[in-house]
Amino acid sequence: QVQLVESGGGLVQAGGSLRLSCAASRSVVSFNAMGWYRQAPGKQRELVAAFIGGRITRYADSVKGRFTISRDSAKNTVDLQMSSLKPEDTAVYYCNAVLPPYGLGSGNGYWGSGTQVTVSS
């Protein structure tokens, strides 16, 4: 079993920054994919950013150039640095991790409980 614990959410004004962190209960290098999703009220959960295979990164078009995902294999954490935040970034952000043999978006991953990010205009 894998536990993922998110931290770092909160309320910020538009244009501000937040850093989310996801701590995993096992080595992050053991995952085929690990990253962040978000779900806004009334919308489907969507991929924000993820590591695939430990080296390849994928970002949603809406966050490219503003968000950066990073991984610390010593601490077993994956962070999401969010800058130039917009009100449309408001959502619950979830950490997701997928073990082999499954891949990103396979539906076989583990989820954290989520952390709220609210961006005021």
Side-chain angles (χ1 to χ4, degrees):
Q1 191 71 8
V2 175
Q3 278 90 42
L4 303 171
V5 179
E6 302 104 334
S7 61
L11 174 64
V12 65
Q13 287 189 331
S17 299
L18 278 176
R19 188 177 184 91
L20 305 182
S21 186
C22 174
S25 60
R26 60 183 291 163
S27 173
V28 295
V29 300
S30 66
F31 298 119
N32 265 354
M34 187 171 181
W36 292 89
Y37 286 71
R38 67 186 181 187
Q39 187 166 20
K43 295 188 177 181
Q44 288 190 330
R45 193 172 296 190
E46 63 174 356
L47 176 68
V48 177
F51 280 103
I52 301 171
R55 293 182 178 271
I56 299 171
T57 56
R58 181 179 293 177
Y59 291 92
D61 287 343
S62 59
V63 307
K64 285 180 181 177
R66 300 188 298 122
F67 291 10
T68 302
I69 191 170
S70 60
R71 188 178 77 164
D72 189 328
S73 56
K75 296 181 179 178
N76 291 327
T77 58
V78 170
D79 289 0
L80 185 68
Q81 178 66 46
M82 306 184 293
S83 302
S84 301
L85 283 161
K86 304 175 182 180
E88 50 263 45
D89 294 317
T90 295
V92 178
Y93 284 69
Y94 296 92
C95 184
N96 172 260
V98 185
L99 287 169
Y102 304 106
L104 186 70
S106 65
N108 290 284
Y110 296 88
W111 294 93
S113 59
T115 185
Q116 177 71 45
V117 172
T118 303
V119 184
S120 63
S121 57

